[in-house]
Amino acid sequence: MRSWKLIAAAALAVLMGPAAVTQGPAPVAPVSPTVAPESVPPAPPAVPSGGAPLDRANVEAWLDGFMPYAMARGDIAGGVVVVVKDGQVLFEKGYGYSDVAKRKPVSADATLFRPGSVSKLLTWTAVMQLVEQGKLDLDRDVNTYLDFKIPAYDGKPVTLRNIMTHTAGFEESARYIMSNDPKGPPMSLEELMRDTVPRRIFAPGTTPAYSNYATALAGYIVARASGQSFDDYIDQHILRPLNMTRSSFRQPLPANLKPLMSQGYALGSGDPKPFEMVGPAPAGSLAATGNDMAKFMLAHLNQGQGLLRPETAKQMHETTLDIVPPLNRMALGFYEQNINGHRVIGHGGDTQWFHSYLWLFPDDNVGLYMSVNSAGKDGATGPLRDGLFTQFADRYFPAPLSTAKVDAETAKQHAQMMAGTYTNSRGHQKSFLSFLNLMGQVKLGVNADGTLNAPAVTGSASQPRKWVEIAPFVWRDAYGSERIAAKVENGQVVRWSFDAVSPFMMFDRVPWYTNSAWLMPAFLAALVIILLTALTWPAGWIARRRYKAALPFEGQALKAFRLTRGFAWATVLVVVGWVTFMSVAMADFTLLSGSLDWLLYILQALSPVVFFGMVGIAAWNLWLAWTGKRGWFSRTWSVLLLIGAVIVLWVALAFHLIGFGTLY
C-alpha cells in the first residue's frame, strides 16, 4: 500500500539523531534474466514520432540494460516487468531472484509478487461491476450498504465516488495494517471495518487524502451487495473470467500458490521476511504473477473486455476530479499520470517489502507493469520505478519540453507567495501519530535567483531540482516533466501539490501555532533545558559528596528542588518513550497490530500526569525562586524552565500525545 513509511522515518530521524551503521554482505548480483515464453508472438514494430520502435526486441534490449544494474545498485533481490500492446503481451521477463538463498530465478508467469495497492484496481473494478448491475450507486450514502454507521462530516455523508477518488475525508489509519501471523490477519474484514472507523477530518469531495480503510470499506460493500465474501467475489468475477489462475487476495495463500510466492526482503543481501498479512485486505492483499497482471491490463485497455461494459470502463478511466489544475487528477480508482502529451492512468503499490506500479496508456493501447521484492538500499525502489516509467515514456513516446516561461519578476513574486510551511493531507491529525507531522512538515522557499525552492520534491538521486514557472503558479522541472502547481484564494496560496502525488495528496498551509519552523527549534530547546535541569540532580550530588557540601535548600525549597528534578527526568523519559514507540512501529508495520500496546498504555497513562505536572512544578519553582533569596542565575533558569515546560505541554496537546485509545 502506498507507503508513508519513508516520510515517517525521515521525520523521526530529526529527534533520534544519527544511527549506528553496520556493514552487511555485498549486494547480490541479479542472475541473467529469465526468458519470456516463446509462445508469446512478437508484435509488429510501431515507431511513434521520434521514438524508438516499441517492439519486443527493443524493449528487451533496453530493460536488460536498465533492470539488472538498477537492482544491483539498489540491493534489490528480484523483479518482474511486463509490457502489453495492441491486445497482446509484448514483453514479460523476470530479473534476479525470488529466493536468494536457493538462487531461484524470478519467472514472469510462475513467480508471485505482492503488488500492494495496485490491488485496489481490482477492488474498484468489482465496485463498478455492481454499479453496472444496479446493486450499487456511486453517489448514495454508503451507510445504505453497511450494517454499521459512518458518521457524517458537517452533515455530509461519504459516497462510493468519494471513496474511489480518495476524497472521503478519512484520517490516515495505521492500526492492524500489517501482521506476520501465518494464520491470517488479526481481524476479519467485517470486524476491522466496524471497529476501526477512522476520524473524519475533511469534508467529502474536497481534499484528496489516500485511505486504505476507505478502499477496504468498498471491498466490504462489494461483499454485502453481492452476498459473497470479498475473496469469493474476486475469484469468481475478476480472476476467473480473465484466467488469472496464479493470483489471489486470500491470506494465507491457497496451498497450490504458496510454492510460487517470492520471498520479500528489506535488502537483497539480507534475510527473507515473513509473508505479510494485510489487514485491510481489499486495499492491498493481492499476490499475482506478472503474466496475470498483463491479463488485467489487457482487459482494461480493451474497454473492460471480460470485466466491464465499454461505457463503464470509459467512465472509470475518464471521470476525473480537478483539485489543483493542471496537475494529474484522480479518476475512478486510477491515478492520472500523463506524460509527454500522452494520457496515462495507473496505480502504485507498496507493502513493506514489495514495491510495484501499473501504468496504462489508453490512447496508445499500451500497458506497463513492474514489481520488485525488496525495499532496497536508501529507498532505491522509488527511483527505480520512477525511472522506469519516465525512461519508457521518453524512449517510446518522446516529446519536446515546452519553452513557455513566466517573466522573472512575476516568477519571483509567485515563489515568495509559495514560501512557507505545509502539511500533508494524507496523514494523522487527531491521533498521537500526528506527532510525526511536527518533524514531517514540508517547507517551500525562494532561491537567491528568485526561483522556487522545493527541497521535498527531489530528483531520482535525491538531488534538488530547478523549477521553472511555465504559467501562473505552475512550475515544471527544468529537465523533466514533473510539475508543481498551487491553488490561490484571495491572493494567498492555500495549497499545492506535484504530479506524482496530486491524485491522492495535497499540501495545505500549517497554522502558525503548529508550524515546525519555530515550534521544532523551540521544542528541542525546551528538551535541552529540561534535560540539563534533570542532570543537575546527579551532577550536584556527586559534586556535593566530593567537596562535602550541604544542599542549600530546606523546607518548601528542598521539596521544590527534588520535585523539579524528578519531573524533569520523567518528562525526558516520556518524550523518549514516545519517540521510541513511533520509531520502532514505523520500522515494522506489523507492530501496529497490538504488539506495542503495553508501551502505548504506559505512555498514555504517564503523559498527562508528567506534562501537566512539569508545568505546575516549574511554576512553583519560579515563584519560590523569585520570592526567596536566590541569585540571578537561579531566577533566570526558573523562567527558562517554565517556558520549556509550557512548550513541551503545548506540543503534547497540539499533537495528541495526551489522550487515550488505540484508534490510530
Side-chain angles (χ1 to χ4, degrees), residues 417-642:
M417 291 173 65
M418 288 282 284
T421 307
Y422 299 81
T423 190
N424 181 350
S425 65
R426 184 203 177 180
H428 302 268
Q429 295 190 17
K430 301 296 183 181
S431 77
F432 58 84
L433 286 179
S434 66
F435 184 56
L436 296 172
N437 296 342
L438 177 60
M439 292 83 76
Q441 292 172 8
V442 174
K443 295 176 176 60
L444 298 182
V446 184
N447 294 317
D449 61 358
T451 57
L452 180 67
N453 179 14
V457 191
T458 58
S460 60
S462 299
Q463 76 276 20
R465 288 177 170 179
K466 181 179 179 180
W467 297 99
V468 177
E469 190 172 11
I470 58 174
F473 297 100
V474 180
W475 290 261
R476 195 199 70 238
D477 180 354
Y479 308 108
S481 58
E482 188 82 72
R483 295 170 301 178
I484 289 175
K487 183 176 183 179
V488 181
E489 294 180 351
N490 301 319
Q492 300 289 326
V493 173
V494 295
R495 65 176 21 173
W496 65 277
S497 192
F498 58 99
D499 274 328
V501 303
S502 56
F504 56 87
M505 186 186 299
M506 293 284 129
F507 296 88
D508 295 321
R509 279 200 185 271
V510 177
W512 70 267
Y513 48 84
T514 57
N515 192 327
S516 63
W518 73 269
L519 188 54
M520 190 66 189
F523 180 57
L524 293 175
L527 289 178
V528 169
I529 292 168
I530 293 171
L531 177 60
L532 290 175
T533 301
L535 290 173
T536 61
W537 203 354
W541 178 84
I542 292 171
R544 289 192 302 274
R545 181 168 181 176
R546 179 174 181 180
Y547 296 106
K548 299 180 180 179
L551 187 65
F553 298 114
E554 59 183 16
Q556 293 281 62
L558 177 61
K559 184 182 293 185
F561 174 87
R562 290 171 175 168
L563 285 174
T564 299
R565 273 80 185 157
F567 269 87
W569 274 113
T571 299
V572 170
L573 291 174
V574 170
V575 171
V576 169
W578 278 114
V579 172
T580 300
F581 175 90
M582 293 185 196
S583 61
V584 171
M586 292 301 100
D588 184 355
F589 290 167
T590 64
L591 298 176
L592 297 173
S593 293
S595 301
L596 292 178
D597 281 359
W598 64 272
L599 178 56
L600 178 60
Y601 293 143
I602 292 173
L603 291 171
Q604 289 180 335
L606 290 176
S607 291
V609 175
V610 169
F611 294 142
F612 279 106
M614 184 73 241
V615 171
I617 294 299
W620 185 35
N621 177 70
L622 180 144
W623 183 81
L624 291 174
W626 284 80
T627 58
K629 297 179 180 180
R630 298 192 193 178
W632 68 267
F633 181 83
S634 180
R635 292 183 177 188
T636 302
W637 193 261
S638 69
V639 173
L640 292 175
L641 181 61
L642 179 57

Side-chain angles (χ1 to χ4, degrees), residues 189-400:
L189 181 59
E190 178 182 1
E191 292 169 331
L192 187 69
M193 295 299 95
R194 185 184 62 238
D195 298 343
T196 65
V197 179
R199 301 170 185 86
R200 304 285 303 286
I201 58 175
F202 300 113
T206 64
T207 302
Y210 193 91
S211 174
N212 287 307
Y213 175 89
T215 309
L217 184 66
Y220 182 58
I221 289 171
V222 165
R224 287 184 55 80
S226 66
Q228 298 178 277
S229 72
F230 176 78
D231 289 339
D232 285 346
Y233 184 92
I234 292 293
D235 284 349
Q236 295 177 27
H237 299 279
I238 304 290
L239 303 181
R240 189 175 299 167
L242 297 183
N243 197 31
M244 295 174 66
T245 58
R246 291 180 169 177
S247 300
S248 180
F249 270 79
R250 297 182 185 275
Q251 302 178 111
L253 279 172
N256 65 311
L257 295 181
K258 283 184 179 180
L260 305 180
M261 184 66 222
S262 171
Q263 298 281 10
Y265 299 87
L267 298 175
S269 57
D271 295 328
K273 302 296 184 179
F275 184 84
E276 299 164 294
M277 299 292 177
V278 178
S285 71
L286 178 65
T289 63
N291 181 264
D292 273 7
M293 294 307 296
K295 297 170 184 176
F296 182 76
M297 287 194 291
L298 289 169
H300 270 278
L301 286 170
N302 194 20
Q303 299 181 311
Q305 186 177 55
L307 297 176
L308 301 167
R309 298 172 189 158
E311 60 271 23
T312 307
K314 182 177 181 180
Q315 179 187 14
M316 193 174 179
H317 300 164
E318 297 182 6
T319 303
T320 50
L321 180 67
D322 271 314
I323 299 294
V324 179
L327 295 182
N328 290 333
R329 303 164 294 180
M330 191 76 202
L332 288 180
F334 284 89
Y335 306 154
E336 189 177 61
Q337 294 286 284
N338 298 342
I339 190 170
N340 295 350
H342 290 255
R343 187 167 67 96
V344 184
I345 56 175
H347 209 293
D350 304 90
T351 68
Q352 290 190 105
W353 319 127
F354 291 84
H355 304 271
S356 313
Y357 220 110
L358 181 152
W359 298 275
L360 301 178
F361 294 69
D363 300 330
D364 304 289
N365 209 11
V366 169
L368 172 64
Y369 170 77
M370 63 78 61
S371 186
V372 294
N373 62 7
S374 314
K377 181 176 63 178
D378 300 327
T381 55
L384 187 155
R385 64 184 177 188
D386 291 345
L388 180 72
F389 173 58
T390 56
Q391 290 186 38
F392 180 86
D394 289 345
R395 184 179 182 87
Y396 299 110
F397 305 107

Side-chain angles (χ1 to χ4, degrees), residues 4-16 436 582-583 586-587:
W4 36 268
K5 184 174 181 178
L6 293 178
I7 297 173
L12 284 163
V14 175
L15 284 187
M16 295 299 289
L436 296 172
M582 293 185 196
S583 61
M586 292 301 100

Side-chain angles (χ1 to χ4, degrees), residues 129-161:
Q129 287 178 336
L130 295 174
V131 169
E132 275 188 350
Q133 299 170 28
K135 295 181 179 179
L136 295 177
D137 185 327
L138 292 177
D139 298 305
R140 184 174 296 177
D141 184 345
V142 294
N143 288 317
T144 305
Y145 309 113
L146 297 173
D147 53 352
F148 61 93
K149 188 174 180 62
I150 302 293
Y153 184 97
D154 289 343
K156 298 177 180 178
V158 173
T159 67
L160 279 168
R161 187 181 301 276

